[in-house]
Amino acid sequence: MEISPQLKVMPEKPYDHSHIELKWHERWQNASFYQADEHSDKPKYYVLEMLPYPSGTLHIGHIRNYSIGDALARYKWMRGFNVLHPMGWDAFGLPAENAAIANKRPPRDWTLQNIAAMKKTHRRFAFSYDWNREVSTCEPEYYRWNQWFFLKMLERGLAYRKRALLNWCSKCATVLANEQVVEGCCWRHEDTPVEQRALEQWFLKITDYADQLLDEIKGLEGGWPERVLTMQRNWIGRSEGAEIDFRLEGAETRIRVFTTRVDTIYGATCVILAPEHPLNETLLDDAGKARAKAMVDSRANRDPGDIEKEGFFSGHYAVNPYSGERVPIWVGNFVLMGYGTGAIMAVPAHDERDHEFCQKYGIHIRPVIRPVDGTLATDTSKPAFTDDGVLENSGPWSDLGSEEARAKMSAYAQEKGFGKAAITYRIKDWGISRQRYWGTPIPVIHCPSCGVVPVPEDQLPVVLPERIEITGSGRSPLENVPEFVNVKCPHCGEPAKRETDTMDTFMDSSWYFYRYCDPHNDRMPFDPAKVAYWFEIDQYIGGVEHAILHLIYSRFFTKVMRDIGLVKNSEPARRLFTQGMVIAEGAKMSKSKGNVVGADMLAEKFGADTARMFVLFAAPPEKEVDWRSEGAEGIYRFLGRVYRFATRNVGQTGDGSVTGSADRKVLRKLHQTVQKITEDFETRWHFNTCIAGIMELMNVLYAEEANLSASVKPEILEKLALLLAPFAPYVSQEIWEELGKEGPVFRQCWPSFDPELAKEEEAEIPVQVNGKLRSKIYAAFGTPKEELERRALADEKVRPFLAGKQLKKVIVIPDKLVNLVAG
RNA sequence: GGCGGGAUGGCGAAAUCGGCAGACGCAUUGGACUUAAAAUCCAAUGGACCGCAAGGUCCGUGUGGGUUCAAUUCCCACUCCCGCUACCA
């Protein structure tokens, strides 16, 4: 019996994710579809996800990050871009060292094993990385360039050594950068208060770039999330004001204060020093010194809002250089040594904190600023007036406006030599020395006669010795490695000692994305021409937790590299996307809670396609997502629906001729879906609604399946596979093969849509009476207003609502809506 | 305290330019298939009320006000939640 091709029915296949994913995993093992090429004539696109720390396992949070990036990378490939999509490992760092102490295993072994395990998971998820460009920061081929950058900065005076009070975490047994201190505690040990220790350390002069880092934020607006930019602005914390010297009464000593309100200085009724202020050594008696020390200690690890302002009179007086007035010098716990000059002038009438302090201790409160449209305050028990205004009781400056007074008064201070206009920043130089083993050795040598001598460039890398004892004792373990420490001075040839501290690992991640452009270069960190081709990064994707640390350091590095002449760009990434966190069943994922959702488990249970698609479907990518396995089952069911539909409808041949209303309906939905997803990729990345769109398309296909002509099926299935390719590479590839097509599906052209076919045949026009929906009319697009109005008024569902009322107004928005206003 | 983001069904969410609130999915319920279950397919599903039913009415996007023919969307005030930051002079 002959079967007409129209009726040919293929047996559907069940969706077996493990079979499909294993099959393609094996076939793709040695494939090289994802190689980027600097010589391509296609437009370039550099998409980058933040590189992970090799902790050993990928979890659902990583999967989210990479699924967003991978969807974009695949889409851009399909749109004909030459895509660079690399991956690497932020492989130095403390966990490896701690694991080494716990398990008696060298950090390198532990790290490499973790990398291997995570890379396996990466491949299982089929993320489209160019693994030929893999970078691992713990390899000498990489970190020698950290050392090289350090030497370049040393040459330019951007790296320097000084003794300073530094943040010390006793659990990490190392110094921390200011950026690594979170609410007075270590960023990795949130229960461990940071101590202050005086140590000789290496610093990078990020403050030299503070203004640039601030100013160039403007150029990132629109491309970076506003809140990241705000956080960076606040972190840099630029503040314009003046530095003014108060003379210590009866001495030549000057006490320098920083103020943003020099216009209020005639209201300064005392000077307050930070408890750590160096002058306290000479000013205070032993009892005073003890009180100051107690203040410092009691301040540690406390919420500043909870600490009551305290202070005591030092017994000394200072002289206001403008008024000549003699004011008492106090020591106050709310004055910070780390900001400004560590000393303030207190103007209680015009500053809330000063007011609180002076009120408490009965220090005179003297108003000197009146509101522009008011009079000078007389009731000094009232809260401080902190706005700008007009000066009074301020000698020759009286009656000036605050702003004008500030300019003139700081100029006067400069002229008279007791001060100047000054800008302070909250951001501090970046302390990079770490007293730990598993990091990049700092390439300098300490010579008894020549001092600090840089290791000559041709002797790089300074290789980190392997197989040594890790102590975690608070001193670098390298100190106990004589063959590392004992060297000859490169200058004089006499015995000298090598620096044993290692670099903060944020150095490693500050420039890794440049290395991807030229990962095997052994003469330079990278070929500037290659970087010029790929940079700036077109899209950087990562967690918002790096908004200040990594992202400000990398901006700094880029500017230094630009000044060295290595790169032309001044910012690393044109666009930044920060994805939301993944939480598990309502709680933040953490090892201690034991609710970490591991990527391998997901791949096992649901398949990589389902796991990827679910994290994209559950919410828009910038929002937090709650992982729930019932939700993932929904995606699994959906992929099964797609796969079964495809397998039972393949093998149809047809000329694409459209014969029935079902054909038209399905094609319309298909083209609408292509249009929607295309627009979304180009603008706002709401992959959740993209996937919902494909689901809607599937629902229409199921509803109309029996009425579809064979001739339209090939186009439908082909576009369906292509639409799924950025989200679910395995299933889409399997369908592609079922269709008898060759090659990787994600190297095909992105499907096109026909706006004409996507258009609805008729407009569905709601008819409202007084703003409430009462009926709907259907009319061809472009039906004139009068016609729509006439039909709306004649509508029998509408008429009862108009009965007995006067029609006052008719609003007609063609193709959209009719609203009849009656009363 | 400061800055930023948010609040929509039982749940995750959608509504892109002021124009049908709740797309899509989860969960739930009912039906089909099955000896049965699972799987699958179909359908219903914001709330209150009216109706035997078809169907209909009213309410509804954190709270209170405003602008508008029309507000989840714009404006004002407030409440709560989340994130970051914090005696920054």
Side-chain angles (χ1 to χ4, degrees), chain A residues 427-718:
Chain A
I427 194 170
K428 295 271 170 283
D429 279 340
W430 175 15
I432 56 152
S433 297
R434 296 291 180 274
Q435 293 69 43
R436 296 300 299 239
Y437 163 72
W438 191 233
T440 305
I442 295 173
V444 297
I445 288 162
H446 299 278
C447 171
S449 38
C450 310
V452 173
V453 181
V455 172
E457 253 178 57
D458 59 10
Q459 289 176 27
L460 296 183
V462 176
V463 177
L464 187 68
E466 307 270 336
R467 313 278 151 194
I468 73 157
E469 199 197 342
I470 314 282
T471 54
S473 69
R475 299 176 69 92
S476 170
L478 293 173
E479 287 184 12
N480 304 322
V481 185
E483 59 274 26
F484 178 79
V485 174
N486 297 318
V487 288
K488 292 220 160 77
C489 171
H491 258 184
C492 64
E494 293 301 308
K497 296 217 183 281
R498 204 184 274 290
E499 167 82 45
T500 55
D501 282 353
T502 54
M503 293 179 195
D504 181 1
T505 55
F506 276 102
M507 287 279 276
D508 313 352
S509 54
S510 291
W511 69 280
Y512 73 101
F513 31 69
Y514 290 100
R515 184 68 179 175
Y516 285 140
C517 299
D518 193 13
H520 308 295
N521 197 324
D522 58 1
R523 291 167 298 106
M524 300 180 76
F526 48 79
D527 175 354
K530 289 184 179 172
V531 161
Y533 173 78
W534 287 113
F535 267 73
E536 297 164 336
I537 296 166
D538 293 278
Q539 185 68 58
Y540 197 16
I541 304 164
V544 73
E545 64 273 17
H546 294 107
I548 27 196
L549 289 158
H550 163 60
L551 289 170
I552 216 159
Y553 294 146
S554 356
R555 293 184 60 221
F556 163 62
F557 250 70
T558 292
K559 291 173 200 308
V560 173
M561 287 158 78
R562 175 204 59 199
D563 291 350
I564 293 174
L566 275 174
V567 305
K568 296 199 180 91
N569 51 297
S570 171
E571 288 289 338
R574 186 51 30 209
R575 291 169 56 85
L576 170 73
F577 188 89
T578 49
Q579 91 268 3
M581 261 191 356
V582 181
I583 59 175
E585 314 281 344
K588 193 172 173 174
M589 278 196 293
S590 75
K591 272 191 186 161
S592 53
K593 286 198 201 93
N595 65 344
V596 176
V597 181
D600 281 309
M601 180 278 282
L602 295 177
E604 202 66 50
K605 191 167 171 194
F606 302 103
D609 281 344
T610 296
R612 278 168 165 242
M613 233 169 153
F614 174 70
V615 287
L616 295 179
F617 177 66
E622 67 275 11
K623 274 193 73 168
E624 187 173 87
V625 151
D626 191 3
W627 170 268
R628 288 179 190 273
S629 53
E630 313 89 73
E633 279 161 26
I635 295 288
Y636 190 83
R637 277 200 281 271
F638 163 69
L639 289 177
R641 259 166 95 78
V642 174
Y643 184 71
R644 289 191 305 274
F645 179 88
T647 51
R648 66 180 178 249
N649 284 288
V650 294
Q652 312 285 358
T653 48
D655 50 6
S657 62
V658 177
T659 48
S661 70
D663 294 355
R664 275 194 298 277
K665 188 170 172 189
V666 164
L667 284 177
R668 188 184 310 131
K669 189 72 190 170
L670 178 69
H671 283 256
Q672 284 171 350
T673 308
V674 175
Q675 176 168 14
K676 189 238 171 325
I677 296 178
T678 306
E679 286 169 2
D680 241 290
F681 263 114
E682 296 297 339
T683 55
R684 53 175 209 165
W685 296 9
H686 278 196
F687 301 131
N688 54 333
T689 58
C690 291
I691 293 167
I694 305 176
M695 287 173 170
E696 284 178 49
L697 171 62
M698 265 339 282
N699 291 346
V700 173
L701 284 172
Y702 267 66
E704 302 294 339
E705 187 172 6
N707 311 318
L708 273 185
S709 311
S711 58
V712 296
K713 286 181 178 175
E715 181 194 347
I716 293 167
L717 293 180
E718 188 181 317

